[in-house]
Amino acid sequence: MRDSSRLTRRAALGLTAAALPLSAASPASAATTVVGGERLARGGIQVRGATGLPKKITAQAWLLADCDSGEVLASYNAHRRLPPASTLKMLFADTVLKKFERTGRYTVKDSDISDVPSGSSLVGIKAGITYTVEQLWQGVFLRSGNDAVHVLSHMNGGLAKTVAEMQAKAVDLQALDTHVVSPDGFDHNGQLSSAYDLTLFARHGLKDEEFRGYCGTRTADFPAGGKKTFQIQNTDRLLTGAWGLGVYKGLIGVKNGYTSHAGNTFTGAATRGGRTLLVTVMHPAAGSNAVYEQTAALLDWGFGNGSSAQSVGLLVDPLSEGGASASPSKGAAGASGTSAAAAGSSKPSPWRLAEGGAGTLALLGAGAWALRRRRRTAVAATATAAATAAVAEPDLRDARVSDPGDTPAG
């Protein structure tokens, strides 16, 4: 029954123009175009055709969606812009993961890790040790290591280039609530995302076998120098059952995050009965387990009462994969060009970021029309300026938060 009406629902959804508040504290996005449907721009709970949502959800924003169809089954403040913490590493992986062969080897230099912000979550990378690319990504996904992110960013041409490419990737994914300042998710003024955008990042990443494998890995042996290793464990508590939580049945990833400013944020995906659901929960009240408990509760509802839920919105497809993009003059009824075939496709994006600063600038130029129409001028200027070779890499060591590591919260 769901498949028979999917095309109709997808055609009715899409991008809706709206004038929205620019405040980061607002329930709505700062973007001038509502991505995914008009209902997702509204404050409060959005659900249709199902009852029994968990009552004790204290998150400032959350979203539950079907991973394959992209249909949003329920949400709360879906486009509210909030600090994403290390969940932004999903976008980092979406952008950089396919650049290097996993068997490649790299010897870390002091300069690769000298700009890691003080207080960051670390996997324990040391200068002078040679790591495989696979091990560096294990450091990113399992331990949320900012040191691993910085090494990979420098391998990619530097922090500024990586930030610019991440912003361009966000534009392609139509994640218009997201403004990237640092590749690791560490707290910086203006670094924001939303439950909607984080779910887009997760859905796109899970189409890739390597991404899916890394985020679902529970433990790994990590180099300590010479022939010595130490074991690292994934900080996703629903995956490992740590901190008094049980392993969530069917969980396949994706990424958690915590800073003292952002609080706890988590995007999780689980599969049951051949159906995969995605949940993003941002900034719940109460203790560090709350983000996982509330994610589990929403997943339980989605696999149960939520099976009858009708779409309140849509996770749109990337522009590079045929995703529809409405101009600000169009409403939901006019944005009917979303590709149903692209949703849930396992085919990786053909869009590849060109190497070097010139390639980055060309890529940003290709998406400039979207930035001009749908983002504030400041965001476009930041992404473009960061991409130019004349701009020095930012010093990320003097952030506002003194204790932003993921360790206390997972």
Side-chain angles (χ1 to χ4, degrees), residues 84-91 93 121 137-146 149 184 198 201-202 206 211 214-216 234-237 239 251-258 264-269 278-281 291-292 295 406 410:
S86 285
T87 50
L88 192 66
K89 289 181 171 76
M90 293 187 292
L91 176 61
S121 53
W137 282 112
Q138 288 171 341
V140 172
F141 277 94
L142 274 67
R143 295 305 304 172
S144 204
N146 287 3
V149 170
D184 48 38
L198 293 177
F201 302 153
L206 289 172
F211 183 108
Y214 287 131
C215 74
N234 201 312
T235 54
D236 178 349
R237 299 180 190 178
L239 187 69
L251 195 84
I252 58 175
V254 188
K255 189 70 188 76
N256 55 331
Y258 170 82
N264 291 278
T265 296
F266 179 58
T267 298
L278 284 165
V279 171
T280 295
V281 173
V291 72
Y292 302 102
T295 296
D406 286 346

Side-chain angles (χ1 to χ4, degrees), residues 80-371:
R80 181 171 185 174
R81 304 180 80 204
L82 295 164
S86 285
T87 50
L88 192 66
K89 289 181 171 76
M90 293 187 292
L91 176 61
F92 174 72
D94 287 342
T95 305
V96 180
L97 183 60
K98 307 310 289 185
K99 296 242 186 155
F100 309 105
E101 293 292 335
R102 64 190 302 162
T103 56
R105 300 173 67 83
Y106 182 78
T107 302
V108 173
K109 304 184 294 291
D110 284 322
S111 58
D112 294 327
I113 51 178
S114 62
D115 49 15
V116 176
S118 176
S120 289
S121 53
L122 305 171
V123 66
I125 288 175
K126 304 294 183 185
I129 296 179
T130 299
Y131 301 86
T132 65
V133 170
E134 179 178 26
Q135 289 164 341
L136 293 173
W137 282 112
Q138 288 171 341
V140 172
F141 277 94
L142 274 67
R143 295 305 304 172
S144 204
N146 287 3
D147 47 356
V149 170
H150 280 240
V151 171
L152 286 162
S153 295
H154 285 294
M155 290 170 62
N156 186 50
L159 298 181
K161 177 175 180 285
T162 301
V163 165
E165 290 181 349
M166 288 173 65
Q167 191 67 67
K169 186 67 172 178
V171 171
D172 177 56
L173 296 176
Q174 306 197 60
L176 304 186
D177 303 321
T178 297
H179 180 215
V180 183
V181 179
S182 68
D184 48 38
F186 194 87
D187 285 331
H188 293 276
N189 285 326
Q191 183 144 274
L192 298 167
S193 192
S194 67
Y196 183 88
D197 285 8
L198 293 177
T199 312
L200 284 180
F201 302 153
R203 184 179 184 233
H204 182 75
L206 289 172
K207 296 177 184 178
D208 182 82
E209 184 178 355
E210 287 187 46
F211 183 108
R212 194 180 182 109
Y214 287 131
C215 74
T217 299
R218 290 174 170 81
T219 63
D221 292 328
F222 201 77
K227 295 183 178 180
K228 296 181 179 179
T229 63
F230 60 95
Q231 188 181 82
I232 57 175
Q233 184 182 57
N234 201 312
T235 54
D236 178 349
R237 299 180 190 178
L238 290 184
L239 187 69
T240 64
W243 291 72
L245 291 172
V247 174
Y248 188 84
K249 179 183 177 183
L251 195 84
I252 58 175
V254 188
K255 189 70 188 76
N256 55 331
Y258 170 82
T259 69
S260 55
H261 174 58
N264 291 278
T265 296
F266 179 58
T267 298
T271 299
R272 291 185 185 176
R275 187 183 187 204
T276 299
L277 297 181
L278 284 165
V279 171
T280 295
V281 173
M282 301 188 75
H283 305 204
S288 62
N289 272 345
V291 72
Y292 302 102
E293 293 167 343
Q294 294 179 25
T295 296
L298 288 168
L299 285 170
D300 284 344
W301 179 84
F303 289 120
N305 287 359
S307 297
S308 64
Q310 301 173 40
S311 296
V312 295
L314 182 70
L315 298 178
V316 294
D317 300 315
L319 296 172
S320 58
E321 295 180 8
S325 176
S327 68
S329 63
K330 290 184 180 180
S336 59
T338 302
S339 169
S345 170
S346 60
K347 182 179 179 181
S349 170
W351 198 43
R352 289 290 178 260
L353 294 170
E355 296 295 330
T360 301
L361 284 171
L363 181 57
L364 287 170
W369 64 271
L371 285 167

